[in-house]
């Protein structure tokens, strides 16, 4: 048996310790408003390499870099007028922008996985912000789970998924948004939505006054994908997932949605009110809770595809793609 990580409530003292560990090249998991991140000093090659090792993540899948604000971002990537406008409106918050690396960019090349861009976001969670301030470094942080698993929305999920592969876990309670940030590629003329999230395509399109293109999900593990994280199977529980289920079959668990859903043993409801934000916040926790050997599969009721529903359905489709 390997020892688990040290887990502590995110007090000011604990965040001081965590910042010291980041500066020393160690790995710290911390809460953000979306999901927990596995953080490392983004300017330290060895620390970034350790992130890939801890997650079992393929080296061609780049990492998101967290900064306090647009000034922090501008030290590493080129901020054009579109990026500046979106940062004004949506930062701090669940929006990641893929932008060209500056010629003098000090971010480890590992965070870009060979691309000439870097993905940057300014998280809103106060613990994440305090950690960034105290570490005084950009922090590379993918979701704090083993590669291919459902993203963690509590400190306990992080400890279960990564065990001793992470040095320290800051516990800030459950994540409010519950699904990973929206990823928008602004490195070319046409903005491309690489991953839907809480900042919706509609909101981005309205802010920019242009159409947003969508990247088609891909099935293979090819290198050189626009967003290598778009592997079709991702965010996956161990049990098969059956989508758009009108009702559950014998032996199945049910992930329900809305007021008219069945109740009972083996049923969890994402939102009895039919609220998409509540459903997103519950999604990964409930998928984990239903992912038990006593169920043959997890049936999922239909979720509306508008607004945040696009992000929820994106994660569910990936979870349902056979291994
Ligand atoms: O909400 C989030 O974004 C969380 C929290 C911790 O901030 N982080 C997260 O990171 O979800 P990760 O590594 O699990 O997802 C990063 C996504 C992947 O799909 C990756 O391929 C994409 O962002 N990405 C990162 N850098 C990129 C780049 N330079 N070009 C295109 N896609 C990039
Ligand atoms: Mg992830």
């Amino acid at each position: 048996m390997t020892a688990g990580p040290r887990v502590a409530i995110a007090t000011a003292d604990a965040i001081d310790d965590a910042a010291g560990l980041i500066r020393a090249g160690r790995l710290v998991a911390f809460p953000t408003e979306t999901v927990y991140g596995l953080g490392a000093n983004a300017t330290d090659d060895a620390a970034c390499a350790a992130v890939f090792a801890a997650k079992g993540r393929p080296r061609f899948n780049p990492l998101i870099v967290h900064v306090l604000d647009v000034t922090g971002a501008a030290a590493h990537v080129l901020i054009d007028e579109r990026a500046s406008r979106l940062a004004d409106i949506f930062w701090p918050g669940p929006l990641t922008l893929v932008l060209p690396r500056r010629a003098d960019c000090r971010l480890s090349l590992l965070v870009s996985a060979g691309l000439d861009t870097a993905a940057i976001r300014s998280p809103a969670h106060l613990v994440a912000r305090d950690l960034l301030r105290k570490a005084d470094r950009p922090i590379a942080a993918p979701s704090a789970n083993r590669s291919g698993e459902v993203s963690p929305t509590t400190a306990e999920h992080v400890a279960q998924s990564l065990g001793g592969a992470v040095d320290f876990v800051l516990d800030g309670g459950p994540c409010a948004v519950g699904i990973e940030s929206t990823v928008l590629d602004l490195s070319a003329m046409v903005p491309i939505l690489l991953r839907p999230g809480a900042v919706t395509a509609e909101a981005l399109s309205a802010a920019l006054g242009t159409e947003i293109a969508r990247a088609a999900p891909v099935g293979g593990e090819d290198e050189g994908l626009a967003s290598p994280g778009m592997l079709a199977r991702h965010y996956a529980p161990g049990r098969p997932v059956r989508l758009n289920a009108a009702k559950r079959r014998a032996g199945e668990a049910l992930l329900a949605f809305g007021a008219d859903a069945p109740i009972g043993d083996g049923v969890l409801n994402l939102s009895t009110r039919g609220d998409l934000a509540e459903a997103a916040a519950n999604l990964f926790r409930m998928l984990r809770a239903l992912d038990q050997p006593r169920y043959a599969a997890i049936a999922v009721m239909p979720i509306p595809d508008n607004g945040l529903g696009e992000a929820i359905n994106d994660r569910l489709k990936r979870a349902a793609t056979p291994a």
Side-chain angles (χ1 to χ4, degrees):
M1 242 195 75
T2 52
R6 182 180 153 220
V7 181
I9 302 291
T11 59
D13 283 351
I15 299 172
D16 284 341
D17 286 358
L21 288 168
I22 294 282
R23 282 198 301 270
R26 311 284 289 277
L27 305 186
V28 174
F30 62 96
T32 81
E33 68 278 22
T34 58
V35 300
Y36 276 72
L38 175 61
N41 176 358
T43 62
D44 179 334
D45 289 328
C48 291
V51 169
F52 285 91
K55 282 183 63 85
R57 181 171 184 136
R59 286 290 181 110
F60 56 78
N61 193 351
L63 308 178
I64 293 178
V65 176
H66 297 67
V67 294
L68 272 176
D69 51 29
V70 72
T71 311
H76 310 292
V77 291
L78 300 173
I79 307 286
D80 64 9
E81 206 239 320
R82 301 170 303 173
S84 148
R85 176 183 301 218
L86 294 179
D88 258 2
I89 301 174
F90 298 108
W91 281 4
L95 174 65
T96 297
L97 299 176
V98 173
L99 295 163
R101 292 174 65 106
R102 288 171 55 122
D104 58 354
C105 180
R106 286 178 304 104
L107 299 175
S108 168
L109 288 168
L110 286 173
V111 305
S112 297
L115 303 168
D116 51 15
T117 54
I120 304 253
R121 90 174 182 100
S122 167
H125 198 292
L126 293 178
V127 172
R129 300 189 65 75
D130 203 26
L131 179 64
L132 281 164
R133 218 172 279 118
K134 288 172 168 168
D136 194 25
R137 303 214 177 354
I139 297 180
S143 52
N145 53 282
R146 297 276 308 166
S147 187
E149 285 179 6
V150 171
S151 291
T153 54
T154 64
E156 194 188 7
H157 292 165
V158 175
Q160 279 165 11
S161 185
L162 292 176
V166 54
D167 295 305
F168 187 29
V169 183
L170 282 173
D171 185 349
C175 301
V177 175
I179 52 176
E180 308 85 347
S181 62
T182 304
V183 181
L184 185 72
D185 186 349
L186 287 179
S187 66
M189 288 283 285
V190 180
I192 303 173
L193 184 71
L194 297 179
R195 181 173 74 183
V199 175
T200 62
E202 293 94 316
L204 291 169
S205 182
L208 291 175
T210 55
E211 289 289 302
I212 306 289
R214 283 171 169 77
V218 290
E221 301 228 343
D222 300 323
E223 271 184 74
L225 304 167
S227 187
M230 302 275 298
L231 300 176
R233 183 174 168 87
H234 206 79
Y235 314 106
R239 240 108 306 278
V241 173
R242 189 168 68 83
L243 300 181
N244 293 316
K247 52 185 205 210
R248 77 171 149 163
R249 298 178 184 150
E252 285 181 340
L254 181 69
L255 188 61
F257 179 82
D260 302 327
I263 50 172
D265 190 40
V267 181
L268 290 176
N269 197 315
L270 289 167
S271 173
T272 50
R273 295 184 277 134
D275 179 88
L276 290 169
E278 183 183 32
N282 285 330
L283 180 66
F284 291 143
R285 178 175 62 79
M286 290 185 174
L287 272 177
R288 276 175 186 266
L290 295 178
D291 192 14
Q292 294 176 33
R294 66 188 167 117
Y295 301 121
I298 303 170
V300 184
M301 287 177 65
I303 313 287
D305 206 39
N306 58 298
L308 240 178
E310 181 181 0
I312 296 171
N313 284 317
D314 169 78
R315 305 310 190 273
L316 284 170
K317 269 178 231 148
R318 290 165 201 279
T321 302

